[in-house]
Amino acid sequence: MQFTSEQRLDNGVLEREFTLGEIPGTLWTPESAAPVPLILMAHNNGLPKREPRLVARARQTAGYGYAVATIDAAGCGDRLRSAADEQARAELRRAMQAGEPVDEIFESFVGPLVEKVVPEWRTALDALLALPEIGGPVGYSGWTAVGIRLAVVEPRIEAAGFFAGGYVPHAQREEARQVTIPLLFLLQWDDEGNPRQRSLDLFDAFGSKEKTMHANLGGHAGTPWFEVEEGDRFFGRHLK
């Protein structure tokens, strides 16, 4: 892991850009004399690691006393995308503009994207836990499809907060029954791109004995800011 830039934010959090082979990422760490827990923060469906809502959440969460990391994994952000991915995205835009069904198109590129993204998140996790300022345990916050797969294959993740708004491929919907870590599931009740019943069914499928759903009125990008504070309380119970 090579750090390429850094800046100290007003709340004392150190924000650093890094590269790990071909993987670019950002790490936020609080001022602390002891190693701190780590939260992996993933964005939805290929958005960049500098997406403003994610950066704002990461900075606030680091201020609560966590190391927070995000990456542009394969097919995300500025990383190169395959011709098949670009074609699927173009077809998705066309179908959405025409008001046509889009589930089959989402399945065609989100499923393969999860398969490529998860190994790179695990590589990043190895490198992050080797840093002296990070001591674990590890949490996950963000894209549900990736989070489900990580929770199943990565035993170092001890709690997760999932955003229900991103498309979850059929394979991950089946894997949800294998997820047993504590969960906080955030649902926007009026999400125009994600059928409410599908999210409710997914929540029901999770195998966790401790799982909580917070449902708020509003559309896809309308998750209230106070849910960041609720996330701190949730992760505080399981990571601190």
Side-chain angles (χ1 to χ4, degrees):
M1 176 179 285
Q2 179 178 359
F3 290 103
T4 57
S5 69
E6 69 175 53
Q7 66 169 323
R8 182 72 64 178
L9 306 179
D10 290 343
N11 61 354
V13 169
L14 182 62
E15 180 178 279
R16 289 175 285 176
E17 301 289 330
F18 66 83
T19 57
L20 183 61
E22 297 181 354
I23 306 170
T26 309
L27 174 64
W28 294 265
T29 49
E31 294 180 309
S32 176
V36 295
L38 170 66
I39 296 177
L40 305 178
M41 196 167 284
H43 38 62
N44 278 4
N45 299 347
L47 291 173
K49 62 185 177 61
R50 299 302 301 180
E51 199 276 328
R53 286 180 296 158
L54 182 142
V55 171
R57 285 196 295 117
R59 290 174 172 176
Q60 185 76 17
T61 302
Y64 292 142
Y66 304 93
V68 181
T70 190
I71 63 171
D72 276 348
C76 298
D78 294 330
R79 297 283 296 278
L80 292 176
R81 294 172 181 166
S82 69
D85 285 344
E86 292 292 2
Q87 182 177 353
R89 290 174 186 275
E91 179 63 18
L92 175 64
R93 289 190 293 269
R94 186 206 61 77
M96 293 180 70
Q97 291 172 357
E100 298 173 359
V102 296
D103 275 13
E104 186 174 335
I105 303 172
F106 265 125
E107 193 78 26
S108 70
F109 78 89
V110 175
L113 187 60
V114 170
E115 298 296 329
K116 292 184 288 187
V117 163
V118 167
E120 294 198 348
W121 270 108
R122 299 187 76 186
T123 296
L125 179 57
D126 290 339
L128 290 162
L129 288 178
L131 297 174
E133 60 266 41
I134 299 176
V138 181
Y140 173 91
S141 175
W143 185 5
T144 300
V146 168
I148 291 172
R149 172 60 59 84
L150 275 174
V152 170
V153 303
E154 183 48 76
R156 290 174 291 185
I157 295 178
E158 300 188 19
F162 292 157
F163 287 76
Y167 180 82
V168 177
H170 290 285
Q172 277 64 65
R173 295 181 216 173
E174 291 300 318
E175 285 180 325
R177 305 180 193 285
Q178 302 175 48
V179 175
T180 58
I181 59 175
L183 294 179
L184 175 62
F185 194 64
L186 301 181
L187 170 64
Q188 285 302 103
W189 202 246
D190 308 299
D191 191 334
E192 58 278 9
N194 192 44
R196 183 187 305 163
Q197 190 59 50
R198 180 185 295 166
S199 295
L200 296 175
D201 291 343
L202 180 62
F203 179 77
D204 190 52
F206 287 124
S208 304
K209 292 183 178 179
E210 181 182 333
K211 54 182 179 180
T212 301
M213 175 186 292
H214 287 184
N216 291 284
L217 295 177
H220 181 75
T223 303
W225 185 250
F226 63 71
E227 290 293 1
V228 179
E229 299 173 355
E230 293 299 324
D232 173 52
R233 296 186 181 94
F234 168 77
F235 285 118
R237 291 195 297 274
H238 302 291
L239 303 184
K240 289 186 175 180

